[in-house]
Amino acid sequence: MNARFADIARFAAAAQRCDERAWPEEARRFAAEHGSAFAREVLRTLSLFFGFPPVLRALDLAADTLAARGAADPVPRTISGAEAFAEVYGSDAAPVLARLGELDPQLRCWVIEHAYGRAYAGPLLDLQERERLAVLALAATHCWKQCDSHLRACLRLGVSLETLCKDASAGDWLPNDARATLLARIMNAA
């Protein structure tokens, strides 16, 4: 695991915990190292897994450090949501989209337009980092079916099993039971 991703995982884990005393200092440290725009992009990605209220709380508690000053930094679209979805899911894209449509057609649209067309479109995190972050966030929330999909995406994108195994301990994010479950799922994904 590279140092950049280890730091992203540490920041993301702290954001999820959002301890009122420790979080503002972690946000300050991360923003000093990587910039507040990058910190906000990581948090926007986390909103897909933890929802808007926890991310808004994290932004509020670290407002002095992370608040956008003046005009909001634009999130340029590098590719469309459908293209990003296809890149992540590869040959599984059509069946996954069909399943999302069966579950809720409106949610399917939101996934394509918002999750992949906006939150995954930012230029500061690369797709491998986003997918590795997705794996950890989904393991933290015990969303194992979705975690498995993103594990397969990581492998399709060239992330090694060794890297994924190291990621399971990144940021001291996952409790032992979730870490053990994730490690087993990584090995089954091979």
Side-chain angles (χ1 to χ4, degrees):
M1 170 180 19
N2 65 30
R4 174 178 151 116
F5 187 78
D7 207 27
I8 292 168
R10 174 181 168 183
F11 175 73
Q16 184 196 17
R17 287 189 287 270
C18 207
D19 177 275
E20 289 186 21
R21 284 179 243 142
W23 165 246
E25 183 53 38
E26 173 59 19
R28 195 171 358 274
R29 182 203 64 77
F30 188 84
E33 176 74 22
H34 302 282
S36 62
F38 185 69
R40 288 192 308 277
E41 186 165 322
V42 171
L43 291 171
R44 285 190 294 264
T45 299
L46 292 177
S47 74
L48 299 173
F49 307 102
F50 304 128
F52 289 121
V55 170
L56 289 170
R57 180 173 186 262
L59 284 166
D60 187 48
L61 288 173
D64 291 342
T65 301
L66 300 180
R69 306 284 187 236
D73 53 271
V75 180
R77 288 178 163 228
T78 54
I79 59 176
S80 74
E83 291 168 321
F85 191 89
E87 187 174 356
V88 168
Y89 285 95
S91 62
D92 293 336
V96 171
L97 282 175
R99 179 66 178 150
L100 287 172
E102 291 169 8
L103 294 172
D104 186 316
Q106 184 63 47
L107 185 62
R108 178 189 179 276
C109 290
W110 289 354
V111 166
I112 294 296
E113 293 170 9
H114 175 69
Y116 288 88
R118 298 201 190 286
Y120 260 49
L124 301 177
L125 275 169
D126 68 37
L127 193 53
Q128 282 189 359
E129 290 171 327
R130 285 183 199 284
E131 284 302 300
R132 291 166 65 195
L133 188 57
V135 166
L136 292 175
L138 291 162
T141 56
H142 299 238
C143 293
W144 297 115
K145 185 174 183 178
Q146 293 83 1
C147 183
D148 291 343
S149 291
H150 288 274
L151 279 170
R152 287 189 299 276
C154 283
L155 294 172
R156 265 193 300 278
L157 293 168
V159 179
S160 71
L161 289 173
E162 178 184 0
T163 296
L164 291 169
C165 288
K166 287 179 182 176
D167 286 355
S169 296
D172 291 326
W173 194 345
L174 303 177
N176 289 337
D177 63 326
R179 185 178 305 112
T181 301
L182 177 56
L183 287 168
R185 292 177 110 76
I186 290 168
M187 298 319 293
N188 286 336

